[in-house]
Amino acid sequence: MKRFFSDLNPTLRGFLIVALIAGVIVVLQLYNTLAALFLLARIAFLLAIALFVFMVWRDQRHTISMWSTRARYVFYGAALLIVVDFLVWFVRGIPGRDAFAFVVTLIVGAYAMWRTWRDEHTYG
């Protein structure tokens, strides 16, 4: 049996594992447990994003403090926009057209941060 699974196509093996897990959830009626795990995963994802942003800011805060006032306001404003965008996603979810607005807001905030960073690091 071990040889059968080792010789099996990896994609098919993965689908069989996913089907097995889905079957266990259905048979044992673990829907509420799955919902709780999904909520915990969303919270962990939000905390991971916050930790990453904090660590990047902590490493670069001295450099950012030497920027012009306008550049700091734009940079921190865009970061705040992205944080609020993720919080709205976390609290309300993003069904339908809201998903498009979420992605556009995320792109606009990231572009504003990138453009400000690039403008402050262009010497010439």
Side-chain angles (χ1 to χ4, degrees), residues 10-80:
T11 304
L12 181 61
R13 185 173 47 229
F15 280 133
L16 288 175
I17 291 171
V18 169
L20 178 70
I21 292 171
V24 168
I25 289 170
V26 169
V27 168
L28 298 178
Q29 297 179 354
L30 298 174
Y31 310 115
N32 292 334
T33 304
L34 189 62
L37 288 175
F38 181 69
L39 180 64
L40 289 174
R42 285 179 69 176
I43 292 170
F45 179 69
L46 191 64
L47 289 175
I49 290 172
L51 180 65
F52 173 74
V53 169
F54 172 74
M55 291 180 73
V56 169
W57 171 78
R58 189 181 65 185
D59 289 344
Q60 300 297 327
R61 67 181 171 210
H62 180 70
T63 306
I64 293 172
S65 70
M66 293 188 293
W67 292 358
S68 67
T69 305
R70 178 189 162 276
R72 280 195 311 253
Y73 279 129
V74 170
F75 191 77
Y76 286 134
L80 183 64

